[in-house]
Amino acid sequence: MKKTYLAIVLIAFILQIICGCQKNDTPNSSYLQSNLNAKKMTIEILPSPPTSKSTSDEKVIEKFIKTIDECEKKEITSDGNNGWQILVSVQSGDGLTQYSVTSNILRIDNKVYEVNGQSLSNEITDIYNNIQEWGLWKLKIRFFQYYYQFLYY
């Protein structure tokens, strides 16, 4: 009786170890976490003409990655539609990762997920609206500073 009980406990323990060590293939882990060291992110939003904003701000990129990471996803087979309403390209040391959202479909590179699309779309649109593109303004300000110095000095 003790040997049978010990064998059942040993088998249960081994199964628990094997199941616990399975590779996690969900988008919540590997390459989403690798994008936390991203260098640049570009968000493009339709309707036509598409508008886009780019940022290198680590906090904005991290907020986007966490938004994708925390949304409820269910992997599905491809629906054959490759269009997008929101396209986000994240450039990191590992390469380029593209996220596209169409209604309730999220595509991350070649994987397709079903999500609560309106909520995700709204969150990404909020991130887009809060991106400050100061690069061009800084150039204009610097130009006028040099111009002012040239005229008055």
Side-chain angles (χ1 to χ4, degrees), residues 78-141:
S78 179
D79 60 350
N81 183 4
N82 290 327
W84 52 269
Q85 294 169 333
I86 299 173
L87 177 67
V88 181
S89 302
V90 178
Q91 182 72 41
S92 68
D94 299 335
L96 180 71
T97 303
Q98 289 193 321
Y99 305 83
S100 63
V101 178
T102 307
S103 63
N104 66 335
I105 302 296
L106 167 68
R107 284 182 183 75
I108 304 175
D109 289 335
N110 296 323
K111 293 188 177 188
V112 183
Y113 303 92
E114 185 174 13
V115 296
N116 180 355
Q118 195 60 31
S119 173
L120 181 61
S121 296
N122 290 341
E123 290 182 43
I124 295 173
T125 303
D126 288 343
I127 292 170
Y128 174 84
N129 290 332
N130 291 325
I131 292 175
Q132 301 293 326
E133 291 187 304
W134 292 104
L136 185 58
W137 288 104
K138 285 181 182 177
L139 288 174
K140 288 180 181 178
I141 291 169

